[in-house]
Amino acid sequence: AGCSRVPSGDALARLKSQGTVRLGIAGEVPYGYVDEQGEFTGEAPELARVIFKRLGVDSVQPVATDFASLIPGLNSQQFDVVSAGMYINKERCQQVIFADPEYQMLDSFIVRKGNPKNLHSYEDVVKAKARFSTGTGYAEIGYAIAAGIPEDDIVILRDQVAGLNAVESGRVDVFAGTALTTREVVKKSTRAEATEPFAAIVDGEKQIDGGGFAFRPTDTELRDAFNVEIHKMKKSGELFRILKPFGFTKSEMTTLTAEELCR
Ligand SMILES: CC1=N[C@H](C(=O)O)[C@@H](O)CN1
């Protein structure tokens, strides 16, 4: 305020003086979304509310975009953090920095009821020559390619709701997403179901993903302050209490670190 100056590198001081932090979300239940009452919620925004308050930033403000635009939107200042449960991986770590993950997760498919093509893995999709889809910018694109699904055959959809519609209408056989995303979105459907969660296989290794908050590469102090809080919440059990109402299980809590997931 007034003539006091906040150094551009000090994101936390800037957010404190503004009193609000803008959270990038992708309209994905239960990670970050606006609910039927018009309330902004999700595991990541609810976690952000608690942590930023402790850091001295009182309010959070949503900025909705599609998943593929989260990293570009962060780096072009459209919001201050990505609050969408984004999987931490090597490619993304070259563009943003991550807090340690708040959860770990497997993948799953949305398929037609009864799973007529018997699809339980990316390898099954290849064998059955099934029509495969996933979301724009999703990590699952890479898992499909790693399993041998031709890149040109992958149908890229806006989000999991578009995915459900495409499966229900028979336009595609499968939509891949996080196990939690698929199990949430099929709740509204009588014509589609989610498969059991499974691990994608990349370079012969089973993939366990960890999702966390992303920050601009210059905002290391903000990221570090956020990490201090998240570690305290892991220790006390508060993290699981916040995530549980969004459908997370104990087995989806994690000790993985951003550092190891970035490798
Ligand atoms: C929470 C989430 N994670 C995956 C990813 O990070 O690419 C995608 O499935 C999109 N949504």
Side-chain angles (χ1 to χ4, degrees), residues 28 31 67 84-87 92 103 137-140 177-178:
E28 185 176 7
Y31 295 99
F67 199 87
M86 180 179 274
Y87 287 175
R92 291 170 179 168
Y103 73 88
Y138 281 21
E140 284 79 3
T178 85

Side-chain angles (χ1 to χ4, degrees), residues 137-183:
Y138 281 21
E140 284 79 3
I141 299 168
Y143 303 157
I145 293 169
I149 299 175
E151 194 168 352
D152 289 346
D153 293 351
I154 298 176
V155 177
I156 302 293
L157 299 173
R158 182 186 156 86
D159 59 19
Q160 73 288 354
V161 177
L164 176 64
N165 292 339
V167 170
E168 285 181 333
S169 70
R171 214 185 117 210
V172 299
D173 297 308
V174 33
F175 178 88
T178 85
L180 195 50
T181 307
T182 58
R183 92 183 163 236

Side-chain angles (χ1 to χ4, degrees), residues 104-224:
Q104 64 181 37
M105 190 58 62
L106 298 173
D107 278 354
S108 155
F109 294 153
I110 304 173
V111 292
R112 278 185 296 288
K113 206 123 241 161
N115 198 356
K117 296 210 169 167
N118 211 14
L119 307 170
H120 301 278
S121 66
Y122 292 94
E123 292 68 32
D124 287 348
V125 173
V126 176
K127 274 184 244 146
K129 293 196 163 60
R131 285 161 305 160
F132 177 86
S133 73
T134 188
T136 181
Y138 281 21
E140 284 79 3
I141 299 168
Y143 303 157
I145 293 169
I149 299 175
E151 194 168 352
D152 289 346
D153 293 351
I154 298 176
V155 177
I156 302 293
L157 299 173
R158 182 186 156 86
D159 59 19
Q160 73 288 354
V161 177
L164 176 64
N165 292 339
V167 170
E168 285 181 333
S169 70
R171 214 185 117 210
V172 299
D173 297 308
V174 33
F175 178 88
T178 85
L180 195 50
T181 307
T182 58
R183 92 183 163 236
E184 282 298 319
V185 77
V186 299
K187 282 182 182 166
K188 290 183 194 136
S189 176
T190 54
R191 285 182 290 161
E193 64 186 38
T195 67
E196 280 301 311
F198 57 85
I201 298 180
V202 180
D203 297 332
E205 275 188 42
K206 281 193 175 172
Q207 184 78 18
I208 296 177
D209 282 298
F213 283 76
F215 301 81
R216 284 189 281 273
T218 47
D219 294 349
T220 51
E221 285 171 36
L222 176 60
R223 189 274 312 269
D224 293 348

